[in-house]
């Protein structure tokens, strides 16, 4: 209790001020450096990357098909070579097999990746079909892929059969080894280009066209490489149908 008329001591005032200053300093928050990334912004960037890859809900057709291709590729890598060769020959979409069991070989030939999981067509399959399926849905993506695969196969193999019948090619041309997903991938690539913005459409289409035509010009297998060019053209022809969607 302070007595009236008695001047307050300087030490007492300083002590009182210090006593009141302590809780103020203790309650002051330490500022977070502005350079530290926030957790929210880091999490927001993750979904953008995963949209490039197939997921069970976002791209179920591409996701399931990818698992199937991984399984057949691992089998082809580690199984008995004679067994693998026999299965590939049985899945070949050559003229002889197409004449005998067309539906079976058209489906079976699309279960293998020529060149393995690290080939250019395997990587293109993963990203192109995912992007296409996220835009038009699983059923339309499957229709584009298998439609291009079937049409390009028939359009390249039937002339081989005609050439053999007319005597322009030897008879062993009817039994060539032809399998893989490349025709379907090229068709989906051509179809996807029509759904992209202009700044992305023409670079993609120009680059893939240059790749296909260059391979055709230096090809040792003109039948397959001409099929790649044809499949790409087929994909561009269905732009109106996909844009309606």
């Amino acid at each position: 209790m302070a007595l009236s008329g008695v001047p307050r001591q300087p030490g007492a005032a300083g002590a009182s001020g210090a006593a009141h200053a302590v809780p103020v300093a203790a309650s002051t928050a330490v500022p977070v450096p502005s350079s530290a990334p926030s957790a929210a912004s880091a999490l927001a960037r993750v979904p953008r990357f995963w949209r490039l890859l197939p997921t069970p809900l976002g791209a179920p057709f591409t996701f399931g098909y990818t698992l199937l291709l991984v399984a057949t590729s691992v089998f082809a890598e580690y199984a008995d070579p004679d067994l693998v060769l026999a299965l590939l020959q049985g899945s070949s979409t050559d003229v002889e097999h197409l004449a005998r069991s067309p539906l079976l070989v058209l489906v079976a030939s699309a279960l293998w990746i020529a060149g393995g999981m690290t080939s250019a067509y395997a990587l293109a399959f993963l990203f192109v079909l995912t992007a296409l399926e996220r835009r038009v849905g699983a059923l339309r993506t499957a229709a584009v892929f298998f439609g291009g695969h079937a049409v390009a196969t028939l359009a390249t193999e039937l002339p081989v059969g005609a050439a053999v019948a007319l005597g322009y090619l030897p008879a062993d041309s009817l039994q060539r080894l032809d399998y893989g997903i490349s025709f379907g991938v090229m068709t989906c690539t051509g179809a996807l280009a029509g759904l992209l913005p202009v700044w992305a459409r023409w670079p993609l289409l120009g680059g893939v066209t240059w790749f296909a035509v260059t391979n055709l010009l230096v090809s040792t297998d003109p039948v397959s490489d001409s099929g790649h060019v044809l499949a790409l053209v087929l994909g561009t022809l269905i732009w109106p149908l996909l844009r309606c969607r």
Side-chain angles (χ1 to χ4, degrees):
M1 179 179 179
L3 298 177
S4 59
V6 178
R8 184 169 298 176
Q9 299 296 322
S16 175
H20 288 287
V22 171
V24 174
S27 62
T28 302
V30 178
V32 179
S34 58
S35 60
S38 64
S41 61
L43 291 176
R45 289 194 297 267
V46 173
R48 294 181 181 274
F49 170 76
W50 287 110
R51 287 172 191 164
L52 299 176
L53 300 175
T55 58
L57 296 179
F61 169 72
T62 308
F63 182 82
Y65 203 165
T66 300
L67 295 181
L68 181 60
L69 291 175
V70 169
T72 57
S73 298
V74 172
F75 176 84
E77 181 70 22
Y78 296 104
D80 180 69
D82 293 335
L83 175 60
V84 173
L85 179 59
L87 291 175
L88 294 179
Q89 289 175 339
S91 304
S92 176
T93 51
D94 53 39
V95 177
E96 183 176 303
H97 284 96
L98 287 172
R100 193 166 57 227
S101 51
L103 293 179
L104 177 61
V105 294
L106 283 172
V107 174
S109 63
L111 301 179
W112 309 92
I113 304 177
M117 292 184 291
T118 59
S119 67
Y121 287 109
L123 297 177
F125 173 91
L126 191 65
F127 293 106
V128 169
L129 266 73
T130 299
L132 183 62
E133 184 172 357
R134 290 185 182 278
R135 286 164 172 79
V136 302
L139 293 179
R140 288 178 175 83
T141 301
V144 172
F145 180 89
F146 287 109
H149 172 74
V151 172
T153 298
L154 295 174
T156 52
E157 291 294 341
L158 292 182
V160 173
V164 171
L166 295 174
Y168 293 106
L169 288 176
D172 57 2
S173 300
L174 301 177
Q175 299 176 341
R176 52 190 304 271
L177 189 62
D178 187 15
Y179 64 92
I181 59 173
S182 57
F183 288 172
V185 171
M186 291 296 281
T187 306
C188 289
T189 303
L192 175 63
L195 304 178
L196 297 178
V198 175
W199 61 266
R201 176 187 309 156
W202 299 115
L204 172 63
L205 198 58
V208 177
T209 301
W210 176 85
F211 172 79
V213 172
T214 301
N215 285 344
L216 178 60
L217 294 177
V218 298
S219 176
T220 58
D221 186 6
V223 175
S224 295
D225 287 314
S226 61
H228 295 149
V229 177
L230 174 61
L232 183 63
V233 173
L234 290 174
T236 62
L237 293 178
I238 61 175
W239 284 0
L241 298 177
L242 297 180
R243 285 173 176 173
C244 292
R245 170 67 172 86

